[in-house]
Amino acid sequence: MATPNLPTPDFAFDPDQPGACIAGVRPYRNGSYRLDAETISQSFIVHNYGHGGAGITLSFGCAAKVRDIVRDHLAASRGATEAAVLGAGVMGLTAATLLLDLGLKVTVYSDRAPLETTSAKAGGQWAVSVVEFAGKERELTDIIKSAYRAFKDRIGQGFGVFERPNYTATRAHNLDIVLQLAPGLIPPRQSLQRLPFAHHTKPGFVYQTLLIEPPVLLARLKADLDQRGVSFVSKRFVNRSDILASVPQPIIINCTGLGSMTLWSDTKMMPIKGQLALLRPQPTLQYLYGQNGYLFPRSDHVVIGGTFEPGVNNETPDKAVCQSLVDHIASLFGKAPARPLPDIHIHNPVHAPIVNPAIPEV
């Protein structure tokens, strides 16, 4: 029997509409993300940044590691009752959430509200994307497991988390990492004789993963923290000395993402700009589509991405680029003329060394 096609998206798109095109900057760190602690003067500082395109995916798992580091510090030092979290993106909000488990009074410092952060501009697929982890395979395995289970537990709880199949034209490296590091955590990929979409004739794969809607997640985390008495302070720091001089809490959790390039003089940090096109919401689309461009139907938008511009550190979208993203995906569904993959597209082979780093031996 022929495989029935899943619904085809409506690719109507006007890049001139407010909010139709957005851009963010991934906080990529060469070598690996940073998750460690140091003591400077009287401040105990935990660094939690450099997660590239996997911030939302790894957030709860990294937050659990942060909580454990702080718990061990409290057991050894005693006396501290307050902690500061720098950054109101997903890393900061989840770290603040789990620090409350230790009975600490938590204050979040940020120059942006949660829905203005880079996290709010993410597509939202749960996958280990554009993040280095050389030498941290076992730690990342723990983070992946913890994060996935935390999100699974929040399905149907108002956090914007859904189970979704992801159909891919080629094997998805960012999900194969999960299958290799944490076998059995998600179902194994399945080979398909044909992707079940109009105008598709070639074989492909389907993975089972999660879709996380960043605006819903961030708003819910912020609301929960407000309810639990966490203070949010609007503050823009200039450098490390400014932080140490103006943050009174003895425990500081640094979740500033790309800001750590300046605030902590981290030369391993590199901005990677990504742009997204946002189409109208289409509730009949209950799947993800990836590896030749990507399309993530959410309740607020159908998100089409994404570009990959290493070294570009601005959040100004290019309407022509966003239109080209839509046109490319539309062509795959037979709704636009065929066109080559743009050079700045995340799945262009020239970006493979960063997008698809070699999976180290576990």
Side-chain angles (χ1 to χ4, degrees):
M1 294 179 60
T3 303
N5 286 334
L6 294 172
T8 296
D10 177 355
F11 290 103
F13 178 66
D14 181 359
D16 292 319
Q17 285 292 316
C21 303
I22 64 171
V25 182
R26 303 174 184 89
Y28 177 77
R29 189 169 187 266
N30 285 295
S32 74
Y33 58 89
R34 187 174 184 190
L35 183 52
D36 57 37
E38 63 177 337
T39 299
I40 304 177
S41 298
Q42 301 302 311
S43 298
F44 181 74
I45 301 164
V46 183
H47 296 286
N48 180 28
Y49 65 87
H51 302 90
I56 288 178
T57 295
L58 303 179
S59 57
F60 275 106
C62 289
K65 292 289 186 181
V66 169
R67 178 195 59 203
D68 293 346
I69 291 171
V70 173
R71 178 189 287 129
D72 291 344
H73 170 71
L74 292 173
S77 63
R78 304 186 183 279
T81 59
E82 298 189 32
V85 174
L86 312 184
V90 71
M91 285 295 173
L93 297 184
T94 52
T97 298
L98 297 195
L99 285 175
L100 291 173
D101 296 345
L102 303 179
L104 293 169
K105 180 181 179 181
V106 178
T107 301
V108 177
Y109 296 85
S110 179
D111 63 344
R112 294 187 182 190
L115 293 179
E116 297 172 349
T117 63
T118 296
S119 299
K121 300 177 180 181
Q125 178 187 207
W126 191 88
V128 182
S129 305
V130 195
V131 60
E132 296 279 357
F133 55 95
K136 297 184 176 181
E137 296 80 20
R138 294 189 183 279
E139 178 182 83
L140 183 63
T141 298
D142 291 341
I143 290 171
I144 288 171
K145 290 178 178 179
S146 178
Y148 184 77
R149 290 164 182 160
F151 280 117
K152 282 273 285 189
D153 289 344
R154 286 166 172 78
I155 293 175
Q157 303 299 314
F159 288 86
V161 185
F162 306 89
E163 291 187 290
R164 291 286 185 266
N166 182 358
Y167 293 91
T168 68
T170 61
R171 285 175 52 172
H173 179 273
N174 53 16
L175 289 168
D176 282 344
I177 289 176
V178 177
L179 293 172
Q180 178 167 340
L181 292 180
L185 187 65
I186 63 175
R189 66 177 176 271
Q190 294 182 349
S191 299
L192 303 176
Q193 292 184 347
R194 182 185 76 88
L195 291 176
F197 303 105
H199 204 66
H200 286 65
T201 59
K202 296 181 180 180
F205 303 89
V206 61
Y207 295 79
Q208 302 298 326
T209 185
L210 304 175
L211 173 66
I212 301 155
E213 303 195 358
V216 178
L217 173 68
L218 295 170
R220 174 58 188 272
L221 289 171
K222 171 65 163 60
D224 286 352
L225 291 171
D226 287 339
Q227 188 175 28
R228 298 177 68 181
V230 171
S231 299
F232 283 77
V233 176
S234 179
K235 173 72 175 176
R236 183 178 184 85
F237 298 105
V238 177
N239 52 34
R240 188 182 77 169
S241 297
D242 184 23
I243 294 170
L244 297 174
S246 56
V247 175
Q249 291 82 3
I251 299 172
I252 300 173
I253 314 302
N254 172 35
C255 301
T256 56
L258 191 62
S260 292
M261 182 169 62
T262 300
L263 295 176
W264 301 93
S265 303
D266 191 336
T267 58
K268 293 183 179 181
M269 292 298 295
M270 180 176 71
I272 302 178
K273 182 177 180 179
Q275 302 190 52
L276 299 174
L278 305 181
L279 280 59
R280 68 171 183 84
Q282 300 174 48
T284 61
L285 307 182
Q286 299 288 304
Y287 57 81
L288 307 182
Y289 179 95
Q291 293 306 111
N292 194 358
Y294 63 78
L295 179 147
F296 301 159
R298 305 189 321 209
S299 61
D300 58 345
H301 301 285
V302 173
V303 176
I304 292 181
T307 64
F308 194 86
E309 301 171 70
V312 180
N313 190 11
N314 72 69
E315 297 176 310
T316 303
D318 184 318
K319 295 177 182 179
V321 168
C322 291
Q323 183 68 63
S324 73
L325 293 174
V326 176
D327 291 344
H328 173 71
I329 293 284
S331 72
L332 302 179
F333 284 79
K335 297 297 183 180
R339 61 192 65 228
L341 202 63
D343 290 344
I344 64 170
H345 199 287
I346 190 170
H347 293 136
N348 190 294
V350 300
H351 303 306
I354 296 178
V355 176
N356 301 326
I359 302 177
E361 292 298 323
V362 180

